Structure formats: C-alpha cells, structure tokens
Amino acid sequence: MTRPRDNILRLDAYAPGEQPAAGTRVVKLNTNESPYPPSPKAMDAIASVGTEALRIYPSPTAQPFREAAARVHGLSADQLIATNGGDELLRLILTCYCKPAGHAGQGGIGVTDPTYSLYPVLASIHDTAVTAVERGDGFSLPGGTAKRWNEAGCAVGFIVNPHAPTGRIETPDTLRQLADEFRGLLVIDEAYVDFAEGDAAELIREGRDNVLLLRSLSKGYGLAGLRFGYGLSHADNIAALDKARDSYNTDAVSQAAAVAALDDRAYAEGCWAKVIAERGRMTSELRQRSFEVPDSHTNFVLATAPGTGAPDNTAAKHAHAIYHGLKERGILVRYFNAPRLDDKLRITIGTPEQNTALLDALDELL
Amino acid sequence: MTRPRDNILRLDAYAPGEQPAAGTRVVKLNTNESPYPPSPKAMDAIASVGTEALRIYPSPTAQPFREAAARVHGLSADQLIATNGGDELLRLILTCYCKPAGHAGQGGIGVTDPTYSLYPVLASIHDTAVTAVERGDGFSLPGGTAKRWNEAGCAVGFIVNPHAPTGRIETPDTLRQLADEFRGLLVIDEAYVDFAEGDAAELIREGRDNVLLLRSLSKGYGLAGLRFGYGLSHADNIAALDKARDSYNTDAVSQAAAVAALDDRAYAEGCWAKVIAERGRMTSELRQRSFEVPDSHTNFVLATAPGTGAPDNTAAKHAHAIYHGLKERGILVRYFNAPRLDDKLRITIGTPEQNTALLDALDELL
C-alpha cells in the first residue's frame, strides 16, 4: 500500500546536463547557461535582503516582480505568474489543463519531436498522454501539427521557440496560425527568446485566451542558479495556475534579485549582444571546419559533425568521438544519443576565450 | 478546450495568513513565524553566494544540504529530500502516492480534523479524495484513526505533530502504533517540532518504509522568506519523490543559507529556548485573564476566549471581538471561522516586548 504510483515507479526521470563538481576547471558549454554573470544590481539586491524579509513569509504572488514584468511586456500584472524556474510553470500547466490517465485518453499534451526532454517526463509524472509530431526537413514545424494535436484531443501543445535543440525560430504569424487552429492551450516556451529578434508577446497583448508564453531568467539574465521563470497569458489562465501553485512558490531573495535583474535591462542586452556576436563567429568557424551549422536564434548552435549522409553514418560516430575528445580536453558540450541528433553536437555559446578554446581543441581533434 | 480542469475551476485556493504591507508597523502574531531573525551565519552565506553559483544551475538535489541534514538526524543522505518549502514536499507526496479521481475512489488522503488547511487544498488540486477523522476531546487523536483511513483506502495519512492549530503533541509510541496499523504512508508534519521535546526521527532510523517526516526552516530557523523544507523517510520513498520534483527545485542561495542555518544549531536552539520560555509566560498570563489555554508544544498557543460553555456561545462572539479589537490596536492574531475553533484565537509567541504589548492590549479590551 505504501508503494508509489505505477507511473512514478516506471518513470525515467529527467536527466539534467552534466555539472562538474565545484572547483573543477572546465569550459562548460553543455547546459546553455549565460557565459556572463548576472547584473551587479541583482547581486546587490541579494546582498541587501534583510533579516526581516527572510523571517516572514514572502509575497505569495511575487507581486513586485509581476508588476515589473508587466511593464516590460506591456501587460497587466494579472496576466503574469512568477514561478520557481520555468520548469514549475510547465508542471503547473499540466496540473491545471491535462487529464490524468483514466479520462478516456483525451486531455494529454502535444509536442513536436525533437523537443525539450522535460515535457514527456512531466507527462509521465502527471500520468497523461503525449502526442509527438515529428519535425520536418531541417526540423521545420510540420504544417499539420495543430490538426494532429486536435485529433488526439491534446489539452496543451508545447512549442519551444526559438527551438531547442536546433536553434530554429518560427515567426509570430506562424505561431498565430497554430494558435488559431489548435483547440487546446498553446504554450510557447521562450526560454531562449532573449537571443532572437522579437518575441510572441503580441499574441498575449491581442487578448487571445489560448496562448501562454514561458520566460526564464536562467539563460538571458545569467541566473540559472536562482530558479526564476514566469508565464504570460490571458488573466483567466493565470488565475487558474495561481490557484494550483505552491502557496509561496518563490522566495524573498529570488524575488528581489529577479526584479533587479529585469530592471537592469541594459546590462542584460549587453550580454545578449556579445553572445549573438560570438554565435555568428562560431557558426562561421564551425562551418569552415566542415560542420553543418544552421543559423541559430538561441545561445547555442546545433552542429552536425563532418561526414553527414555517409552510408555508415560516419557523422554519428564522429560526433560522439568529438564529444569525448573535447571532454578529455576539459571542454563539455552536449551529445544526444537520439534519432536525428546522434550526429550532432549542441554547443553553448561561451565567452570569446571559451569559444576559441573549443575551436583550438577541435583543430587538434579533426 | 482551453478551460482548466473542473477540479481547478472549483478549487477554493489556500488562503495564506494576512501579511501587512511592507513598512506597516504591526505586532504580527498571526502566521507562526519566528520572532527572531535567522542565524547571522545564514545571512553571511547569502551575502557570500558568488556570481558563478548564480550563473550555473544549482545542485539538483541540494546535495550539501542533504548531507548536513543527514548528520543532524543520524540518517544517510538518500533518506532525505530538500524542497522549496515544506509545501512542495506535501504536494510531491500526493503526486507520488495518491490516485486522481476516476481510480475507484481509493488512494486518497486521510487527515484528522481540524488540521493544516493546505492538505484538503492539495487534495483538490490533485483531484483525490479526503477522509477526515474528527479529533476527540481536547483535540486528542482518536483511537480508530488508522482503521478509518484503511477502510477508506487512503494512500497517505497526514498528522501534524506537534499539532496545529492546537499545540498538542503525540508521543513517538502513539505515532509508532498509528504507523503499525495504517496501511498507507504516514506523513508526520513536524513543522513545529523544534519547539517540542524530541521528535519522531527514530521511526525513520528504525528502517520503517511507511513513515515520512516533514521539517521546515520557516519557523525554527527564522527563514520563512527563504522557502526551505525537507523530508526524512525510507530511501525508497525519497527516490520516488526525487523523480517527481521539479528538476532544480531549490536554488543556489537558499541551499547555501539552509546549510549555514542548520550548521549553526546553537543559535537556533537559543531562539527556541526564548520562545519556549515566553510560551510558558503567555500561557500563564492568558489563563490569569480567564482564557482556557492548553499546554502548547509549538511556537503558538490556542486560547479559548472567556465565556466557553455559555448557551449563546459567548466565547465565539468574544473571540471574534477580541481579534478585531487587537487588530485595531495594531496586533494581528489568527481567528478561524470554523467549527470548534471559532471561540479561540491562535496566538504566535513573539518577542517578550510583543507578547507584553498583546497582554496590555487585552487588558484594555477585556
């Protein structure tokens, strides 16, 4: 009787990217963190949190943050929810909108494959169905996605845009059409949008009630360690999520740091510009080394190893060998042992020095 | 199709205790926070978190904290899980052990009534059944509790011990018997145990696989604003909960502060001793003012207003009037508009000065 539920026992839990032990000297280009520290103003905000703010319960809704983010996005505070990382928001969406198994197979989630590997894990935890639509050539969004999700009765559809792990981007018009056609809640996961031109916030400002955007301070604001994300949607959706979140889901320190980070947009924009410049350099340098590298709109590139299309899938073996060779040289990148990805490396854009170290190591290896 | 699930729409969300706006001068004795600030070492730990720890993802399991807590409780790290406040742990327990509706009515939660008002809210969010066993005379634990929970097929039973909102305590032997009789997972919510003599950790050290203890840094460590709790149980239960938590559920700052707070046990014990001494004084002073005040093992007392037993329920009206009278005088206490509680006030033990202010205000009012 004290056994956990079968869906939990069966669950293959989410595997976070490799994190080297503290003090290890590595060039860490495997988990898409910002190569730059958070804003000094965020650090000041953390150091300034007083004992009284820690002694008492924090704002349950992170109200000061909601108001700051509302100003940034031209929305009202009741169209925003602050969460303990974007991951909490994803989970809350399933809790509020998806039906656990036993409800006639309807009400699950739709994804496009490949995608953020956490989505199917969250679906397993919630014991709800996953409908995966395979991405097209060049990992493009297939035309019939909404139709497929509708046929499967998906309550929620997840699109990462810009897309992970490929770095592609869809236009707001494409997303608008998807929202028009899909009968569930369309979640646009904009974890990487700070490195792209423009976002999809206009879909929320238009007053649509079936779109939700996810934002994160982990990548664009150098605050992966802080766990702070937020959602933008119609106030009715936010009200539902707000009822289901843990009573005090974000703490006093992270609320203060998040407000300061968001307010210091000039600093963040400076970091994004440096990453974007280096992304251009890395794309070009990797192409010169015979990698196939599509244009990226994120803080990483997905690089196909030389040898693609060879009948013995040379690139797959090559990508894995390069991953290991880099690791031996103290450089971590991400290798996915998965169909369509096993001939590729996902490389986070680092500082110019880190990126050069990677290129130098490749020159040794290739 | 984008409507949230019916159980969420119907949900009457958890209502946190009243928190006055920042800068308001009130004597706040309504939400059981510690009257003392966190350890200076915890504050130092927060100020010392560097940009690098914030830039990268934190330890997914809060491993340094688990190891520190394992030493404190004489357990191993795999018998511990760190959570974003105790509330996250409670939610995870439902996620992992309780069956959502549609599973033949079995697999819900058992509680004793009255209890922490969050439990039924979490059950509604998870869409699972609640079996409430009414507490006996003096809010004692009824003898047939396990039998009633077993008959209802409860997967989890929740006991707050020391009990909120009454301050009562059950002995480890009583809890051991409950664990022996109950066929589900017995969760002993020890949020207030720092103010009692002894705890139930021996039930975990004995190797039982159907008991889980909840601990919090909110009350005993003056860190309600930080959101940090943890669970102690058999490693198999911890492994299940660990699979279902958000990928990085506690952040780098709170992990550092929690380790420092736990390590500075001497400071915390000094705070507990001061609260316990004041609890004795307040119990005695309130009794002298004709309140009925059972001995408390927590950092609050539950005081029945004078006039109990009068046919017109004078005490109930009186308790509510006193609550308002205190509020007008800038003193917040907790009033529950609920059966068996509406003639009582739950009063958090404050600093000696705060407690004296409360007594003086009562002398004006009564």
Side-chain angles (χ1 to χ4, degrees), chain A residues 21-333:
Chain A
T24 321
R25 280 185 63 86
V26 295
V27 174
K28 194 171 172 309
L29 303 175
N30 67 331
T31 50
N32 297 343
E33 287 123 338
S34 169
Y36 300 107
S39 156
K41 291 183 182 166
M43 299 307 293
D44 289 347
I46 292 172
S48 305
V49 171
T51 54
E52 187 61 11
L54 287 166
R55 189 183 68 79
I56 63 170
Y57 285 96
S59 166
T61 56
Q63 195 58 22
F65 177 83
R66 291 172 92 190
E67 289 166 9
R71 285 191 297 273
V72 168
H73 297 291
L75 296 168
S76 59
D78 64 358
Q79 293 174 292
L80 280 132
I81 183 170
T83 54
N84 186 36
D87 291 352
E88 183 193 8
L89 178 57
L90 296 172
R91 170 176 49 77
L92 284 175
I93 292 165
L94 271 81
T95 300
C96 289
Y97 292 88
C98 293
K99 289 185 178 153
H103 288 77
Q106 299 277 309
I109 69 166
V111 299
T112 63
D113 197 33
T115 192
Y116 181 26
S117 60
L118 181 65
Y119 301 146
V121 173
L122 291 174
S124 295
I125 293 171
H126 193 64
D127 202 15
T128 201
V130 181
T131 302
V133 176
E134 197 177 353
R135 291 240 163 193
D137 286 346
F139 298 101
S140 61
L141 187 66
T145 299
K147 185 162 177 285
R148 290 275 304 280
W149 289 351
N150 287 335
E151 284 165 2
C154 296
V156 178
F158 289 97
I159 292 286
V160 192
N161 193 66
H163 184 240
T166 69
R168 278 183 61 97
I169 196 165
E170 307 298 335
T171 65
D173 279 346
T174 302
L175 298 170
R176 184 177 287 109
Q177 191 184 338
L178 187 61
D180 285 343
E181 292 170 4
F182 179 45
R183 290 199 293 266
L185 177 69
L186 178 65
V187 176
I188 304 170
D189 185 336
E190 295 194 326
Y192 296 100
V193 82
D194 296 322
F195 308 101
E197 289 183 18
D199 61 21
E202 62 194 71
L203 299 188
I204 310 301
R205 288 190 292 266
E206 287 167 8
R208 283 169 185 269
D209 65 3
N210 75 328
V211 177
L212 185 147
L213 306 190
L214 177 148
R215 293 299 193 95
S216 168
L217 302 197
S218 294
K219 280 91 180 171
Y221 291 83
L223 284 167
L226 189 72
R227 315 309 306 126
F228 211 94
Y230 60 104
L232 292 66
S233 192
H234 192 282
D236 289 351
N237 295 319
I238 298 298
L241 298 165
D242 200 44
K243 285 164 82 170
R245 63 171 172 72
D246 292 337
S247 324
Y248 302 93
N249 61 329
T250 63
D251 67 70
V253 179
S254 64
Q255 288 184 24
V259 169
L262 209 66
D263 279 350
D264 195 5
R265 197 173 167 88
Y267 174 87
E269 284 174 349
C271 297
W272 306 340
K274 285 188 278 188
V275 167
I276 290 166
E278 278 293 292
R279 183 179 71 200
R281 179 171 80 98
M282 288 300 285
T283 301
S284 157
E285 292 280 357
L286 288 165
R287 283 175 183 163
Q288 283 174 35
R289 287 163 179 80
S290 301
F291 285 85
E292 199 179 286
V293 188
D295 289 340
S296 168
H297 302 265
T298 63
N299 69 338
F300 58 83
V301 292
L302 187 71
T304 306
T308 314
D312 60 349
N313 201 8
T314 312
K317 290 173 194 159
H318 207 180
H320 197 236
I322 296 170
Y323 161 80
H324 273 294
L326 289 172
K327 192 170 174 179
E328 282 167 11
R329 284 162 178 78
I331 299 173
L332 292 181
V333 299

Side-chain angles (χ1 to χ4, degrees), chain A residues 1-2 5 8 11 33-34 54-55 57 84 91 95-97 183 219 225 227 243 246 249 251-252, chain B residues 1-2 5 8 11 33-34 54-55 57 84 91 95-97 183 219 225 243 246 249 251-252:
Chain A
M1 268 297 281
T2 63
R5 297 164 64 199
I8 302 295
L11 176 67
E33 287 123 338
S34 169
L54 287 166
R55 189 183 68 79
Y57 285 96
N84 186 36
R91 170 176 49 77
T95 300
C96 289
Y97 292 88
R183 290 199 293 266
K219 280 91 180 171
R227 315 309 306 126
K243 285 164 82 170
D246 292 337
N249 61 329
D251 67 70
Chain B
M1 267 300 278
T2 62
R5 296 164 65 199
I8 302 294
L11 176 67
E33 288 122 339
S34 169
L54 286 166
R55 189 183 68 78
Y57 285 96
N84 185 36
R91 170 177 48 77
T95 300
C96 289
Y97 291 88
R183 290 199 294 265
K219 281 91 179 172
K243 285 163 81 170
D246 292 337
N249 61 329
D251 67 71

Side-chain angles (χ1 to χ4, degrees), chain B residues 323-344:
Chain B
Y323 162 78
H324 273 294
L326 290 172
K327 192 169 174 180
E328 281 167 11
R329 284 162 179 78
I331 299 173
L332 290 181
V333 299
R334 190 77 180 257
Y335 176 77
F336 298 99
N337 186 13
R340 301 181 74 188
L341 296 173
D342 62 358
D343 57 351
K344 298 172 174 51

Side-chain angles (χ1 to χ4, degrees), chain B residues 21-22 28 66 79 99 106 127 132 166 178 187 206 224 234 241 271 274 279 311 329 350:
Chain B
K28 196 170 170 310
R66 291 172 91 188
Q79 294 174 291
K99 290 184 178 155
Q106 299 274 311
D127 202 15
T166 70
L178 187 60
V187 176
E206 285 166 9
H234 191 282
L241 297 166
C271 297
K274 285 187 277 188
R279 182 179 71 199
R329 284 162 179 78

